[in-house]
Amino acid sequence: MSYQYVAVAGARIAYRANGSGPALVLMKNNRRPLDYPVADVLAQRFRVLQIHPVGFGASDRPEEYDFGSIGRQVLAVLDHEGIDRFAIWGFSQPACMSALVARSTDRAAALVMGGVAPIGFPNDATMRRMAREPRLPKAALEFWRSYRSYDWHHELRCYAGTKVTYMGTADPAIRRLRKLKPVLEGIGFSYLEFDGLSHTACGLGDESADGRRVAQTVADRLLGRETR
């Protein structure tokens, strides 16, 4: 169970790194599994850094959270590793973490948001449910409150790097994403659907052949190779 750590404002950020090639940050919000199952596939083509932001995973959990610093946290890790430009990729909640990082720095050459509608989520009703949920960790609620403070149509339109969004067609959220497709393509996103795959099967935590196929397809987009 080996992590490396970098401190920002007195809080330790945990991460793991392997592979070689262009830098690819995978945002991670849980300790388990230790590595995303597809990280070994991606590490054949990228220098992969799995980073846990403060309040999540193996990183410190201070009393107060400043999710405006999430970009600074990622850059601190990259500076420690001697990395300048990077792509960042997240799935579900970590996709939104990735968006916060990408908007904060011109060092982010690409942004991948999987398994989530990049604009309009979470809505007011979802936030009310989260606020009433006693089992929801404080860090998660505070993160979503911070995420909701931005106009994501504006932020993502202004972001100049490569943008990719994807979801499985068996994901219940696919209707929301499809409604957004014209908007997302209009602001420069590549839009991908994976036929018949569930939310779990499209995630970075899926080690099946389907999960690996999704990872390879998205990686091809990041590397500029069109695949069908």
Side-chain angles (χ1 to χ4, degrees), residues 153 156-157 163 180-191:
H153 182 272
L156 294 170
R157 177 172 54 83
K163 292 172 276 205
L180 281 174
K181 181 180 178 182
V183 173
L184 294 172
E185 291 184 331
I187 61 175
F189 270 89
S190 291
Y191 177 97

Side-chain angles (χ1 to χ4, degrees), residues 27 89-100 111-114 116:
M27 296 304 293
W89 183 344
F91 186 84
S92 199
Q93 183 188 50
C96 298
M97 294 175 174
S98 299
L100 279 173
L111 167 66
V112 179
M113 300 184 72
V116 71

